[in-house]
């Protein structure tokens, strides 16, 4: 392993080597390098991604391993990555910044992992992403800005997760969305779900498996969405959330305070007029006489 040894001595030398070495020497031993741009490391029981690839790799296949994390600098080194398949691994979280240089990424498969939440802007720089698979994870929380900037995204899979609710802002922030999967989640049909229900109703052509496949939990019973209608959520339109209540109370208080101040101001003005215009007062006195 001469190249690796030299890498420890001089990182610059290492970069030169990476660029000049023949493909066979750069290909990680557990992977198959199909061509200069495609590396196949699937089904190898890998606990992590091998760390020596040709720098201009475009397609990395690493499905069916036990990979626990995506190195935070992956896209810093392999900026040409267009296609990343990490399906069926052991990812539990995505580190902030991992995708901050993934500007060429078009296809990302993270399905069949153990992700539990997606934070705001996590894929922010992947603005060329067209397909994002997050199905069959354990997602229970998707921040409403999680897919911020994904203007090219056409296919989003969130099926078979642990989602009980999802802000419609998540879906509305995707201008190119054509296909979405939301089935296989324990949705709760409450008023929070109402907005998502109306979105699904209006965009049923975008649901790959159709509205029929989506179920939600209503009073401990699972119901199919097509069994529900706008009327099911009619009472939600009039129900007030805590924020609404606070706004109403606050505006009430604000109006009262404004009223007190304006009467005080009026009284002062009147008083001032009475004092500053003695002639008028005298006139009035005269009138009274
Ligand atoms: C996931 O990968 C394991 C090998 O790590 C394989 O045995 C299993 O069939 C794969 N499951 C799916 C759903 O692809
Ligand atoms: C996901 O986590 C659960 C429990 O935390 C574990 O049993 C399961 O094997 C994990 N799945 C993968 C693919 O790592
Ligand atoms: C899913 O995540 C929850 C915590 O959010 C955890 O308690 C549960 O074990 C996870 N399930 C699996 C199958 O990993």
């Amino acid at each position: 392993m001469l190249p690796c040894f030299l890498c420890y001595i001089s990182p610059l030398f290492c970069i030169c080597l990476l660029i000049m070495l023949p493909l066979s020497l750069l290909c990680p031993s557990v992977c198959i390098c199909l061509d200069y741009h495609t590396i196949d490391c699937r089904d190898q029981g890998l606990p992590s991604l091998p760390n020596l690839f040709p720098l201009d790799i475009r397609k990395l296949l690493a499905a069916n391993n036990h990979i626990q994390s995506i190195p935070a600098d992956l896209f810093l080194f392999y900026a040409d990555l267009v296609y990343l398949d990490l399906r069926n691994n052991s990812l539990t979280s995505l580190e902030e910044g991992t995708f901050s240089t993934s500007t060429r990424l078009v296809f990302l498969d993270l399905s069949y992992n153990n992700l539990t939440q997606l934070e705001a802007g996590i894929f922010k720089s992947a603005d060329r992403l067209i397909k994002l698979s997050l199905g069959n994870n354990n997602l229970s929380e998707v921040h409403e800005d999680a897919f911020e900037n994904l203007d090219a995204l056409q296919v989003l899979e969130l099926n078979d997760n642990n989602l009980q609710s999802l802000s419609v802002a998540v879906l509305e922030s995707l201008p190119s969305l054509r296909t979405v999967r939301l089935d296989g989640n324990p949705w709760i049909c409450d008023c929070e779900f109402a907005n998502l229900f109306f979105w699904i109703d209006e965009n049923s052509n975008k649901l790959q498996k159709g509205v029929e496949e989506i179920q939600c939990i209503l009073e401990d019973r699972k119901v199919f969405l097509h069994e529900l209608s706008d009327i099911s959520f009619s009472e939600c339109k009039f129900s007030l959330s805590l924020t609404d209540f606070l706004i109403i109370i606050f505006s009430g208080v604000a109006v009262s305070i404004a009223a007190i101040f304006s009467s005080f101001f009026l009284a002062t003005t009147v008083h001032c007029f009475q004092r500053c215009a003695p002639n008028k007062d005298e006139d009035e006195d005269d009138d009274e006489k």
Side-chain angles (χ1 to χ4, degrees), residues 43-45 63-66 87-89 112:
D43 301 286
Q44 299 298 320
N64 308 335
N65 284 294
H66 305 296
R87 180 191 155 93
N88 191 19
N89 274 284
Y112 292 90

Side-chain angles (χ1 to χ4, degrees), residues 273-289:
F273 265 111
Q274 279 172 349
R275 292 182 96 197
C276 305
N279 292 342
K280 206 182 166 209
D281 274 7
E282 276 165 23
D283 287 351
E284 277 170 12
D285 288 350
D286 289 348
D287 287 348
E288 273 167 28
K289 278 173 202 163

Side-chain angles (χ1 to χ4, degrees), residues 117-121 141-148 166-167 169-170:
Q117 59 168 343
L118 296 177
E119 281 161 28
E141 233 185 287
V142 174
H143 191 281
E144 64 173 32
D145 296 324
F147 306 130
E148 194 184 18
L166 179 73
S167 164
V170 166

Side-chain angles (χ1 to χ4, degrees), residues 114 116 138 140 162:
N114 253 344
T116 54
N138 190 9
S140 58
N162 203 4

Side-chain angles (χ1 to χ4, degrees), residues 240-255:
L240 297 174
S241 69
L242 182 62
T243 337
D244 297 333
F245 265 119
L246 287 178
I247 290 171
I248 290 169
I249 291 170
F250 180 77
S251 30
V253 170
V255 166

Side-chain angles (χ1 to χ4, degrees), residues 83-129:
Y83 190 108
L84 178 60
D85 180 4
L86 279 167
R87 180 191 155 93
N88 191 19
N89 274 284
S90 308
L91 301 174
T92 51
S93 64
L94 301 174
E95 219 175 295
E96 203 190 325
T98 304
F99 295 95
S100 63
T101 46
S102 61
T103 50
R104 302 229 164 94
L105 197 63
V106 167
F107 178 97
L108 178 60
D109 193 342
L110 299 175
S111 61
Y112 292 90
N113 275 281
N114 253 344
L115 300 174
T116 54
Q117 59 168 343
L118 296 177
E119 281 161 28
I122 186 78
F123 302 111
K124 201 165 157 186
S125 302
D127 56 359
R128 296 212 195 147
L129 206 58

Side-chain angles (χ1 to χ4, degrees), residues 173-208:
S173 69
L174 300 168
S176 309
L177 192 66
R178 289 210 295 209
T179 305
V180 60
R181 279 194 65 184
L182 299 169
D183 49 291
N185 282 291
W187 301 111
I188 294 182
C189 336
D190 56 5
C191 286
E192 214 187 321
F193 185 75
N195 286 328
L196 187 60
F197 176 82
F198 296 133
W199 187 93
I200 291 172
D201 202 33
E202 275 169 30
N203 296 275
S204 53
N205 59 322
K206 292 183 181 161
L207 291 151
Q208 195 183 10

